[in-house]
Amino acid sequence: SQTIHQWPATLVQPVGSPLSLECTVEGTSNPNLYWYRQAAGRGLQLLFYSVGIGQISSEVPQNLSASRPQDRQFILSSKKLLLSDSGFYLCAWSRTGVPPTPQHFGDGTRLSIL
Amino acid sequence: AQKVTQAQTEISVVEKEDVTLDCVYETRDTTYYLFWYKQPPSGELVFLIRRNSFDEQNEISGRYSWNFQKSTSSFNFTITASQVVDSAVYFCALSEWKAGGTSYGKLTFGQGTILTVHP
């Protein structure tokens, strides 16, 4: 069976510090990978998606970047965090192909910027 | 552009009541997929159902049922005989799909409905 791991679960960072959140998927190959942000009391906003190693698409301009160094590894980064980067970050994967398959989500990372 | 509207921000019911969560969507695509996800207090999103735009048949899974009406662009979710464990945020989402193209499975989410079931 497939599993998705996301860490850390909680993170408190000062403004201006760097960020690295990691997500890995097991039990499947060549998945589509996604990073979402959920602000408090709001819906999910798609930040990045990837259909293959080194292939990253950004959905919204922002202070964050994403990378996919390996097939089942997806990393969310920032060089200098802003207060507005606070939120709940969720990684997700889906099977490649059409029609669109359900996305399966990790447990999320709660990021607080001080 | 695609849009999903969940007009009910919060719903509060007493256990054993039936509750319907509304979802209205906008898309220019003739082929698309609709999803419902549940987000319990622990935070992870749990997939509940996927429905394509050509299949308007209602679906029932235990206490859950879904009513898809293309004419009104709605995909409503009903929980029968609600339980405390149903308390969560529920999201409706829409994914485009263009025949011969690649959708990458990108989802447009509604803002979610917070459901609280009281004992």
Side-chain angles (χ1 to χ4, degrees):
Chain A
S1 64
Q2 301 82 25
T3 56
I4 179 169
H5 302 281
Q6 191 180 337
W7 68 93
T10 306
L11 190 59
V12 180
Q13 292 283 92
V15 170
S17 63
L19 173 73
S20 180
L21 302 181
E22 191 162 340
C23 172
T24 59
V25 180
E26 296 177 358
T28 188
S29 59
N30 194 32
N32 293 330
L33 296 172
Y34 311 85
W35 278 112
Y36 289 88
R37 177 169 58 203
Q38 184 178 25
R42 303 293 300 275
L44 281 79
Q45 180 184 42
L46 178 63
L47 302 177
F48 301 94
Y49 68 93
S50 171
V51 300
I53 296 175
Q55 300 179 59
I56 308 295
S57 296
S58 175
E59 287 293 291
V60 294
Q62 58 202 308
N63 183 42
L64 302 168
S65 62
S67 61
R68 184 171 177 173
Q70 299 180 43
D71 181 44
R72 290 169 291 174
Q73 184 184 27
F74 205 23
I75 297 171
L76 184 68
S77 304
S78 174
K79 292 182 179 179
K80 284 187 177 182
L81 285 167
L82 306 172
L83 282 174
S84 57
D85 292 323
S86 291
F88 188 51
Y89 289 83
L90 286 154
C91 180
W93 75 273
S94 70
R95 295 187 193 282
T96 304
V98 290
T101 57
Q103 292 183 21
H104 302 278
F105 289 78
D107 291 340
T109 296
R110 297 195 183 276
L111 175 63
S112 298
I113 310 301
L114 304 178
Chain B
Q2 299 184 91
K3 185 178 180 181
V4 176
T5 302
Q6 295 180 254
Q8 304 151 308
T9 305
E10 294 190 49
I11 299 177
S12 182
V13 299
V14 177
E15 209 168 19
K16 297 185 183 178
E17 283 186 30
D18 298 346
V19 57
T20 295
L21 310 180
D22 297 333
C23 172
V24 174
Y25 60 92
E26 296 175 29
T27 180
R28 293 182 180 178
D29 297 326
T30 54
T31 304
Y32 49 88
Y33 284 74
L34 295 161
F35 300 78
W36 274 95
Y37 283 85
K38 174 183 180 180
Q39 186 178 37
S42 52
E44 80 281 11
L45 268 78
V46 178
F47 165 70
L48 296 178
I49 190 171
R50 179 187 71 170
R51 176 54 54 87
N52 74 57
S53 53
F54 294 113
D55 183 3
E56 292 194 64
Q57 195 169 20
N58 292 334
E59 183 159 340
I60 298 175
S61 176
R63 295 184 297 107
Y64 295 171
S65 63
W66 290 269
N67 183 300
F68 175 35
Q69 292 196 346
K70 208 168 179 177
S71 60
T72 56
S73 297
S74 65
F75 186 41
N76 297 337
F77 173 31
T78 297
I79 301 175
T80 303
S82 60
Q83 300 176 2
V84 173
V85 293
D86 296 326
S87 296
V89 184
Y90 290 86
F91 290 98
C92 181
L94 171 67
S95 179
E96 63 179 1
W97 179 54
K98 293 179 173 53
T102 304
S103 71
Y104 305 119
K106 293 189 292 181
L107 292 174
T108 300
F109 281 87
Q111 290 298 299
T113 296
I114 302 171
L115 173 65
T116 303
V117 182
H118 300 281

